[in-house]
């Protein structure tokens, strides 16, 4: 195709970042210019469309135009890599001369993209099998597939402590990218004379992390570079971490040995607080869009919903009112379910959104929905943070779902086991030994 460069990118599991998995003809600086935000960087790709950029230096869809200019890149064409009809990656072709791409070029790129899709899917399957193999015996089912390129298997670390750090991040489900960006620090005669490449970028925290080896001479040098980086790039959030610092950082989010008092009894973290908050912002956006121009009554069932309700409502750009209910749970004593606390205000003729922490068998929600429908609201929809679909007995309609969770007992972020764990800032899986075959016993 007479191209000067090419790169193959993979979308991370949350479809937020494009990460390079293969390249040809591009300089190290260009490749390490930073993680590409999938929504800012050619959003049409996410919708499965081909993107053509005639002049990279002037097109506002290009995220790092100065670097493109410095590298002499003029035209770019991006073709989505589609898996099961959804964008899972992209192929980008770069040229130094401004040029158009013919129909034959485009059709050739689509064929290559189809081949990439097969490779991506095989790689993902391979990772799933590896993960399953590693965790078999320890837990029944692996619920989270790590994003394709940022896994321990596919990253070659410069230092063993970096691999340890990545393992810890994986354990706490904190997404990471290894050395995604190099920052030029010094120039000489128009050329870059010195660069700094932090070890990790944690997208959820928008934080770069550089690990230290604790050797004093190296530490002084790193501190100097960091000072320079902060001066040149004040918007960049970077931390120099030694092991102790790292443990303190985790403790701030309620994880790790220093946050142990809180996480005793937790097998593993399923969703970090940052991930929950991000998902809630997306849900709130969808709800605000769907109810534009209307007033909404949010109804929650006490007590598990408190954290979710509090965070969700803050992100709704609508006039809302709140109400709560409480119900009795199954106690095996021959009693039938009872509403122990009913609504304060009438919902007749109102738009009602039932907010739930988790839908498991669906029996609770089914009961509540029929109770609410009897009051003739103008509309009645359901928003649940967690959907334990595998255990559903009653088919209840869910309009907004945060996460589909595996068939495990989860606690934290409002959810309890025998009244405890509600205050954890994350959602974690309870040690199976603690439950000893009991069903959920919500309070
Ligand atoms: P249902 O089975 O859908 O009726 O769910 C009933 C209630 O059980 C939920 O509202 C939660 O309070 C509780 N529950 C179900 N699964 C879990 C879990 O994994 N952790 C904590 N509470 C749960």
């Amino acid at each position: 195709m007479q191209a000067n460069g090419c790169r193959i990118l993979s979308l991370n599991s949350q479809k937020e970042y494009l990460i390079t998995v293969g390249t040809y003809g591009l300089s190290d600086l260009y490749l390490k210019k930073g993680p590409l935000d999938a929504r800012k960087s050619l959003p049409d790709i996410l919708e499965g469309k081909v993107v053509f950029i005639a002049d990279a230096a002037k097109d506002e869809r290009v995220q790092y135009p100065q670097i493109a200019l410095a590298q002499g890149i003029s035209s770019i064409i991006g073709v989505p890599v589609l898996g099961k009809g959804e964008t899972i990656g992209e192929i980008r072709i770069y040229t130094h001369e401004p040029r158009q791409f013919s129909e034959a070029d485009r059709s050739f790129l689509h064929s290559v993209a189809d081949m990439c899709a097969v490779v991506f899917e095989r790689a993902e399957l391979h990772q799933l099998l590896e993960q399953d193999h590693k965790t078999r015996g320890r837990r029944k089912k692996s619920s989270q597939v790590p994003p394709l390129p940022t896994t321990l298997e596919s990253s070659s670390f410069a230092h063993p402590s970096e691999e340890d750090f990545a393992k810890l991040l994986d354990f706490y489900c904190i997404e990471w990218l290894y050395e995604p960006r190099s920052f030029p620090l010094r120039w000489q005669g128009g050329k870059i004379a010195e660069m700094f490449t932090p070890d990790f970028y944690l997208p959820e925290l928008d934080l770069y992390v550089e690990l230290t080896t604790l050797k004093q001479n190296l530490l002084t040098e790193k501190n100097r570079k960091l000072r320079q980086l902060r001066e040149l790039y004040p918007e960049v959030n970077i931390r120099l971490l030694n092991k102790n610092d790292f443990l303190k950082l985790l403790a701030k989010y309620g994880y790790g040995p220093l946050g142990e008092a809180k996480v005793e009894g937790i097998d593993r973290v399923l969703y970090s607080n940052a991930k929950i908050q991000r998902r809630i912002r997306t849900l709130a956006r969808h709800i605000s869009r769907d109810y534009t121009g209307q007033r909404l009554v949010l109804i929650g069932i006490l007590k598990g919903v408190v954290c979710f309700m509090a965070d969700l409502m803050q992100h709704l750009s609508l006039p809302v009112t709140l109400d709560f209910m409480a119900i009795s749970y199954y106690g095996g004593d021959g009693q039938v379910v009872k509403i122990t606390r009913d609504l304060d205000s009438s919902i007749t003729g109102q738009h009602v959104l039932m907010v739930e922490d988790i839908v498991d068998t669906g029996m609770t929600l089914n009961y509540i929905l029929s109770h609410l429908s009897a009051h003739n609201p103008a509309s009645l929809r359901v928003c649940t943070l967690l959907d334990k679909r595998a255990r559903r007995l009653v088919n209840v309609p869910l309009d907004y779902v945060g996460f589909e969770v595996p068939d495990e007992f989860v606690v934290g972020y409002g959810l309890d086991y025998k009244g405890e764990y509600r205050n954890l800032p994350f959602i974690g899986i309870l040690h199976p030994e603690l439950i000893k075959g009991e069903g959920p016993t919500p309070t």
Side-chain angles (χ1 to χ4, degrees):
M1 292 185 73
Q2 291 166 331
N4 299 97
C6 166
R7 86 156 130 181
I8 299 172
L9 298 138
S10 161
L11 257 184
N12 74 335
S13 56
Q14 303 286 316
K15 297 198 182 293
E16 286 168 331
Y17 295 93
L18 285 160
I19 305 149
T20 305
V21 291
T23 68
Y24 162 77
L26 295 170
S27 74
D28 214 32
L29 173 66
Y30 193 74
L31 292 173
K32 293 202 166 168
K33 60 192 161 75
L36 295 173
D37 184 321
R39 285 155 304 188
K40 282 190 210 144
S41 175
L42 320 187
D44 283 352
I45 288 287
L46 283 181
E47 289 173 21
K49 296 180 193 153
V50 173
V51 171
F52 170 62
I53 289 178
D55 186 347
K58 293 206 188 111
D59 198 303
E60 58 186 26
R61 291 171 296 176
V62 176
Q63 237 175 295
Y64 303 94
Q66 312 87 334
I67 302 183
L69 189 68
Q71 298 291 299
I73 288 168
S74 285
S75 303
I76 307 176
I77 184 163
V79 175
V81 173
L82 301 171
K84 299 189 192 88
E86 281 198 19
T87 302
I88 54 173
E90 181 188 349
I91 298 187
R92 280 189 195 173
I93 299 290
Y94 304 83
T95 66
H96 288 167
E97 296 300 321
R99 65 168 279 189
Q100 298 293 319
F101 290 87
S102 66
E103 269 315 306
D105 288 334
R106 287 166 191 247
S107 131
F108 171 70
L109 282 174
H110 279 301
S111 305
V112 181
D114 287 345
M115 285 191 259
C116 283
V118 175
V119 175
F120 280 15
E121 276 167 4
R122 281 191 62 169
E124 195 169 349
L125 184 63
H126 173 74
Q127 269 178 25
L128 261 176
L129 291 173
E130 286 256 299
Q131 180 136 328
D132 188 45
H133 179 70
K134 279 190 201 145
T135 55
R136 198 172 298 154
R138 197 159 68 80
R139 54 177 184 256
K140 269 191 290 174
K141 210 163 45 169
S142 150
S143 62
Q144 286 226 329
V145 184
L148 183 63
T150 51
T151 60
L152 292 163
E153 287 81 6
S154 63
S155 297
S156 47
F157 296 100
H159 197 273
S161 65
E162 294 168 358
E163 184 163 357
D164 287 344
F165 183 73
K167 278 185 190 154
L168 269 164
L169 292 173
D170 274 354
F171 179 76
Y172 292 109
C173 293
I174 298 176
E175 216 171 290
W176 53 270
L177 302 173
Y178 182 61
E179 296 192 339
R181 178 170 182 187
S182 292
F183 295 89
L185 296 182
R186 200 158 49 78
W187 289 261
Q188 223 163 27
K191 287 207 167 139
I192 296 162
E194 187 177 41
M195 291 208 292
F196 183 66
T197 308
D199 297 319
F200 288 90
Y201 177 63
L202 316 183
E204 288 167 9
L205 311 178
D206 187 20
L207 178 68
Y208 285 90
V209 174
E210 174 68 10
L211 298 181
T212 63
T213 57
L214 298 179
K215 280 190 195 147
Q216 196 50 49
N217 58 337
L218 293 177
L219 197 59
T220 316
E221 175 63 6
K222 271 191 185 170
N223 272 324
R224 179 190 65 80
K225 286 191 172 182
L226 235 69
R227 261 199 315 277
Q228 238 171 322
L229 189 148
R230 288 193 176 116
E231 271 166 30
L232 287 166
Y233 307 90
E235 75 288 358
V236 168
N237 192 10
I238 182 162
R239 284 278 301 266
L240 189 64
L241 278 194
N242 60 36
K243 197 169 171 209
N244 238 355
D245 282 340
F246 171 55
L247 295 179
K248 277 190 212 150
L249 181 74
L250 283 182
K252 200 174 126 190
Y253 292 97
Y255 315 139
L258 300 180
E260 211 163 29
K262 281 183 178 173
V263 292
E264 203 182 318
I266 303 297
D267 190 33
R268 68 197 160 98
V269 175
L270 197 55
Y271 303 113
S272 66
N273 189 269
K275 194 166 250 165
I276 296 171
Q277 296 302 334
R278 234 175 25 194
R279 187 71 193 123
I280 289 178
R281 284 198 292 274
T282 308
L283 287 175
R285 241 192 349 264
H286 291 167
I287 295 168
S288 303
R289 183 198 57 201
D290 294 351
Y291 288 92
T292 307
Q294 287 165 342
R295 304 179 73 81
L296 192 54
V297 184
L298 302 178
I299 297 180
I301 304 185
L302 294 170
K303 307 171 187 160
V305 79
V306 286
C307 295
F308 181 42
M309 180 73 103
D311 285 336
L312 180 74
M313 67 180 184
Q314 291 175 58
H315 295 288
L316 292 175
S317 48
L318 300 164
V320 298
T321 54
L322 293 190
D323 217 333
F324 290 96
M325 297 173 75
I327 58 168
S328 63
Y329 282 92
Y330 179 67
D333 51 7
Q335 300 286 315
V336 294
V337 59
K338 271 203 308 269
I339 290 171
T340 55
R341 184 200 189 282
D342 210 340
L343 299 174
D344 287 335
S345 315
S346 163
I347 54 163
T348 306
Q350 310 269 345
H351 293 289
V352 172
L353 183 64
M354 184 70 218
V355 182
E356 269 280 44
D357 48 354
I358 183 165
V359 180
D360 184 6
T361 63
M363 293 201 277
T364 310
L365 184 59
N366 186 52
Y367 176 77
I368 298 280
L369 287 179
S370 39
H371 173 80
L372 295 179
S373 308
H375 289 83
N376 297 319
S379 70
L380 178 57
R381 286 189 189 163
V382 179
C383 171
T384 183
L385 179 62
L386 305 178
D387 178 7
K388 212 190 274 184
R389 200 166 296 175
R391 284 174 40 103
R392 192 77 86 255
L393 293 177
V394 185
N395 219 354
V396 276
L398 303 181
D399 302 280
Y400 307 95
V401 175
F403 303 98
E404 191 178 331
V405 283
D407 182 9
E408 313 242 24
F409 198 81
V410 292
V411 291
Y413 194 70
L415 290 154
D416 74 312
Y417 177 63
K418 297 193 170 174
E420 288 184 30
Y421 301 101
R422 292 196 199 275
N423 58 325
L424 294 178
F426 55 82
I427 292 171
I429 294 182
L430 203 62
H431 267 306
E433 305 90 75
L434 283 181
I435 308 174
K436 293 195 192 100
E438 293 176 41
T441 55
T443 54

